[in-house]
Structures are given as C-alpha cells and as structure tokens.
C-alpha cells in the first residue's frame, strides 16, 4: 500500500514496512554518506535494504562490507572523523563486539548513528528480544533512544542525526527497537518520498 500526501512542499507517502526497513528508509532520507555493516540477526534486513537502495540509485552512499562488527564501527568512526554522515546497524553480540570502539566514538564526539534491533545476550542462547544489549552501553557516552513503534523508528532516526550533529552536542546515538517484535513486524508509516 502506498498513498501520497502533499504538505509543506514535501511529498509524504504512506507505506507498509517492517521496523528494519523503516530504519533503512530513514538512513536514505537523512542522506547518510557511509554505511558499514556486518550481518547479525535480527538487524540484517536494515543493511540489506540500504544496499538495495544504493544498488538501485535511490541512495548515494558508500557501503563498506567488513569482516566483523568491530570493523564496522571502526569504519564508521573513521568516516565520521572526516565529516561524513555515517551509520550502521547491529544486535546483541554484534554490539558487544563493537564495545571497544563505543567509548572511542563518544570520546572523540563523532555523531554516528547505530540502529539496534535488541536481542538477548547469551547465555542462555536466545535470539528473541531482550534489552540486555541496550543496557550494556549505558555508561559509554552514547545518546540512547528507544522506539515504541515503527513510525518512531523512522522519525527517531532522522531526529538522531539532527541531535547528534548539533554543534552543542556532537555525540553518537543508538536508536533501539525490539528485535522481531518491531524489526520484522509490518505497519503503515508516513515517510518522505
């Protein structure tokens, strides 16, 4: 379902998407210049959709495939330090593999955005939603935002870039949402074409 709505000289459309695809649409809308990613369930559809946007020419960005989540955040840090708008997505153990780079990013005041499809950490082994991964970054200097629905995932990502890049702030931010519950559920949202 796609429906156009015209307001404020900007074309808005209503589209039914998953939470992961809402995050990808927000990255496209925010004109992110560098995306670095490594797949992990349940976030993989975020970066797959971004890759699709780039391939189809709907997004002009550099997509950097890396060998680990640690490298994904290292690429984001380097690109952000050069002034590029950057972002990535991860979940659970992927975020933990990024952990060494998290205080480095905030300490250098790099406005990076991470989408976090929350998931339980092991043990016991589980891929279902849990907020342990989100809570582990409480003390590393990142702005943390948690979304309640799919419209909020889209809106909060766009807001996150504006907040993180504000000269009074210059801090990285994590936009989190429940893995599987929101990451894979479909809902109608309003987004810019």
């Amino acid at each position: 379902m796609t429906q156009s709505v015209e307001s404020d000289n900007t074309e808005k459309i209503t589209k039914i998407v998953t939470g992961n695809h809402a995050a990808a649409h927000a990255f496209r809308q925010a004109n992110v210049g560098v995306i670095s990613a490594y797949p992990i369930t349940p976030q993989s559809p975020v970066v797959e959709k971004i890759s699709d946007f780039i391939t189809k020419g709907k997004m002009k960005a550099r997509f950097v495939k890396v060998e680990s989540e640690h490298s994904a955040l290292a690429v984001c840090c380097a690109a952000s330090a050069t002034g590029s708008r950057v972002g990535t997505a991860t979940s659970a153990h992927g975020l933990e593999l990024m952990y060494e780079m998290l205080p480095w990013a905030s300490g250098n005041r790099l406005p990076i955005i991470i989408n976090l499809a929350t998931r339980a950490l092991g043990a016991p082994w589980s891929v279902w939603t849990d907020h342990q991964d989100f809570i582990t970054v409480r003390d590393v200097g990142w702005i943390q935002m948690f979304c309640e629905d799919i419209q909020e995932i889209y809106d909060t990502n766009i807001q996150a870039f504006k907040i993180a890049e504000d000269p009074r702030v210059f801090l990285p931010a994590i936009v989190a949402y429940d893995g599987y519950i929101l990451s894979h559920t479909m809902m109608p949202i309003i987004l810019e074409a």
Side-chain angles (χ1 to χ4, degrees):
M1 175 186 144
T2 302
Q3 176 185 355
S4 291
V5 178
E6 193 74 36
S7 68
D8 302 329
N9 299 325
T10 306
E11 185 182 353
K12 306 267 187 190
I13 60 170
T14 301
K15 203 168 193 177
I16 298 175
V17 297
T18 65
N20 281 333
H21 287 181
H25 278 284
F27 270 43
R28 176 190 54 79
Q29 184 61 39
N31 295 316
V32 176
V34 176
I35 296 95
S36 182
Y38 190 81
I40 187 169
T41 301
Q43 78 75 17
S44 296
V46 175
V47 294
E48 290 168 356
K49 187 68 171 173
I50 290 169
S51 176
D52 186 51
F53 286 150
I54 294 167
T55 301
K56 291 180 178 175
K58 295 179 179 179
M59 184 175 179
K60 188 175 181 177
R62 196 61 109 137
F63 192 96
V64 183
K65 295 178 280 185
V66 293
E67 71 282 355
S68 74
E69 288 88 349
H70 183 280
S71 297
L73 191 51
V75 167
C76 286
C77 287
S80 182
T82 67
S84 183
R85 179 173 275 179
V86 301
T88 190
T90 194
S91 185
H93 294 280
L95 181 65
E96 299 308 298
L97 287 168
M98 291 178 171
Y99 203 85
E100 180 184 5
M101 298 302 297
L102 293 171
W104 196 92
S106 59
N108 284 288
R109 304 187 75 94
L110 302 173
I112 299 163
I113 305 302
I114 291 178
N115 270 263
L116 177 67
T118 62
R119 190 182 106 186
L121 294 168
W125 192 252
S126 174
V127 295
W128 296 112
T129 195
D130 190 302
H131 298 161
Q132 290 174 314
D133 50 2
F134 184 69
I135 297 302
T136 65
V137 298
R138 181 189 68 182
D139 297 323
V140 294
W142 284 59
I143 299 167
Q144 293 182 268
M145 304 171 192
F146 208 98
C147 302
E148 184 178 9
D149 61 40
I150 294 175
Q151 183 69 56
E152 279 189 18
I153 294 170
Y154 176 78
D155 295 340
T156 303
N157 267 283
I158 292 171
Q159 292 169 5
F161 283 106
K162 295 292 187 183
I163 294 166
E165 294 170 353
D166 186 300
R168 297 166 295 180
V169 178
F170 273 142
L171 285 173
I174 291 179
V175 177
Y177 48 93
D178 288 328
Y180 294 108
I181 295 170
L182 289 180
S183 65
H184 287 67
T185 300
M186 297 182 89
M187 292 180 189
I189 66 166
I190 298 169
L191 53 87
E192 290 192 29

